[in-house]
Amino acid sequence: MQQSELESQTQKVYKVDHPENARQLMHLGKIISQCFSADLSNWQAYVQRLGQPNFRVILQQARVVGGLSLYPMGQWYGGQSVPMTGLAAVAITPDARGQGAAVTLLRQTLRELHEQNRPLACLYASTTHLYRRVGFEHAGSSCRYSLPVNQIHIVDRTLPVTPIEISEQALFVELYRQQAQFNNGNLERNDAIWSSILDDKDKSLYAYLLGPRPAPEGYAIFTQKSARNPYNLEIQDLVLLTVAAARRFLTFMADHRSLADRMFWQDSPAAPLISVLEEQSYRVEHLERWLLRILDVPQALALRGYPMGVEAELYLKVVDNLLPANTGCFRLQVSDGKGKVTHGTRGDLTMEIGGLAPLYSGLMTARQLQQAGLISGTEASLATACTLFSGATPWMSEHF
């Protein structure tokens, strides 16, 4: 049986739609809570945070057998914010697994996002194989570090450190954006992401501004996590715009050493903060890759930023078995840090849609992707692609 015939039959069995009523939404909540071993009592708060329109359910006849949630936001690439929809809480009830429900749910959702002109989709995968079947591929990292506070030997109190109220979200947003735009993969956060960071109903959050309030150079938001001493410093969000801010932050953390054990934070695998340390006393606690899916090839390529001072063109050939509009040859012309995309006459650099994701994000160079068997091309096209998609190591601090 051909794949298209199998998909057609599967679509007759399942229907993907918005939840019709509170009963369907609650049924989805029970499935997601079971799949991720989460507390169902948090479901209503989660729904309120994202908004009911950002949920999808998959029905087998009239029964909800799974679903997912959506985070419409953006993601920074090459200094430009590109619209992106995050997929989260993808869940299928255990008795309906292995029958095509998850693939159907993903295919229908990705087609819907494509029709809405969303150029990118991103997610964290519990099983990579499933998401690769619909065009996702590794594109960046989430890295969690820890550091004993008594191993911080920097003493620099040049900048002031002052408490700031969590309610001053506008200031956090402004400072975060200054940092995010130079980091490939960083989110252009929506209200739901900010709420997950700043919501202090179940924990005591402490926020401090680094530098004078008229011209701050960063901030730190953290909790002190432990039932008893010593406690750990869990950094919820961190912006360090200058080396002075980084040194002041580390000194501030070290000032907790009489009662604190370790500090934990999310950072890039390159982690500029580590370079400020005098010794390599940190530890990588967790390293995970997130996945990206290019939903609209011309739009995605045109909206991302490129290195300034580079004048080049690249002919690509892309194959996308799910979204036919992405299949074909494209000509990418880059000038003054911007890209223009038109239909091309040849494909010097060839890839399936999944192979485009790690090139687009900058996770791997074109030559590395060639070694991995994800793209192929002429020597000239590989060299051009390496230049055009160079930049900061893609990462994000959030987990959605």
Side-chain angles (χ1 to χ4, degrees), residues 160-166 168 172 206-210 213 220 252:
V161 174
T162 53
I164 181 173
E165 294 297 324
I166 291 295
E168 294 196 59
F172 297 135
Y206 303 95
Y208 290 83
L209 209 58
L210 304 168
R213 190 177 180 94
F252 182 52

Side-chain angles (χ1 to χ4, degrees), residues 348-363:
D348 296 342
L349 197 66
T350 302
M351 69 210 73
E352 293 191 4
I353 193 66
L356 181 57
L359 178 67
Y360 182 90
S361 71
L363 177 67

